[in-house]
Amino acid sequence: MGALIEHGIAERTFPGQRVSGDRAVVVPFRKGVLAAAVDGLGHGEAAGLAAGIAVATMECHADEEPAALVKICHRQLRGTRGVAMSLAAINASESSMTWLGVGNVDGHLLHISVRPPAHDSLLPRSGVVGYQLPPLHAYRLPVTAGDLLIFTTDGIAGNYINGLPVQDPILRYQPVQEIAWRILGRFGKTTDDALVLVIRYLGQRP
């Protein structure tokens, strides 16, 4: 089987800090690919420590269902600042994606290739992974080759998605790394760490 996705990451550390508290995860597992964006509370080394624990936990337990994986992260993050996080498990054989979020990490799924183009937004639950976990409910969506999944931390202005109309033909062909850089460059704030993760679903290939 060929590649299931391609991805691009653009990030910027809060000015004056050496360590970012925003991290991305893209890791294959038995059924597909796990993708996530993590925002350690605040910024600097303490935020980076919490984010690093979340990333390492997800990499070690990528086979878990998303809700179970968030609960594992919650246990591992006890005693840290905690994190906001959104994640998606893309299932290769079912052409589906299961996603959920806790805290202020935005998620959007742009169905570029369907007619008419469509757009789904993740609705994260309020809370902090590692401190106060809300009831979790994951949502399952179909994915089609060409779909774009975008996660952004709160260092990216929340209205950025209005600058990426789903019917824009350039989104079908522009490399995902360029899309990530474009979002960071146009909508990144200078008052926090910032991260953009862009995933293009390619579908199964022989």
Side-chain angles (χ1 to χ4, degrees), residues 66-198:
L69 183 51
V70 172
K71 291 177 182 178
I72 295 171
C73 289
H74 181 65
R75 292 194 296 269
Q76 295 298 317
L77 286 163
R78 289 288 193 188
T80 72
R81 285 189 176 185
V83 306
M85 60 188 294
S86 290
L87 66 157
I90 301 172
N91 187 305
S93 62
E94 298 178 0
S95 295
S96 67
M97 183 188 80
T98 303
W99 65 352
L100 63 82
V102 177
N104 51 357
V105 175
D106 284 346
H108 297 277
L109 180 63
L110 307 184
H111 303 280
I112 303 296
S113 300
V114 301
R115 291 292 178 266
H119 170 203
D120 288 300
S121 295
L122 178 63
L123 299 174
R125 303 296 301 272
S126 297
V128 178
V129 183
Y131 174 67
Q132 187 173 22
L133 200 63
L136 300 175
H137 180 72
Y139 298 89
R140 187 171 179 268
L141 300 172
V143 288
T144 303
D147 285 357
L148 289 178
L149 169 64
I150 306 174
F151 285 136
T152 56
T153 62
D154 64 352
I156 303 296
N159 64 348
Y160 83 89
I161 199 65
N162 297 328
L164 294 175
V166 70
Q167 67 274 16
D168 184 349
I170 196 172
L171 292 176
R172 298 183 66 179
Y173 309 108
Q174 189 173 29
V176 286
Q177 186 61 58
E178 292 184 10
I179 296 172
W181 283 331
R182 174 155 59 118
I183 295 171
L184 178 64
R186 290 181 59 188
F187 301 100
K189 304 174 185 177
T190 58
T191 54
D192 201 352
D193 302 320
L195 181 139
V196 183
L197 170 61
V198 181

Side-chain angles (χ1 to χ4, degrees), residues 17-66:
Q17 296 291 334
R18 296 183 299 106
V19 177
S20 175
D22 291 359
R23 305 286 174 83
V25 175
V26 180
V27 58
F29 65 100
R30 183 170 52 87
K31 294 182 179 180
V33 176
L34 175 71
V38 178
D39 184 350
L41 266 62
H43 45 77
E45 292 186 3
L49 173 64
I53 292 171
V55 168
T57 302
M58 283 188 280
E59 290 175 343
C60 288
H61 299 277
D63 278 316
E64 296 283 349
E65 294 295 327

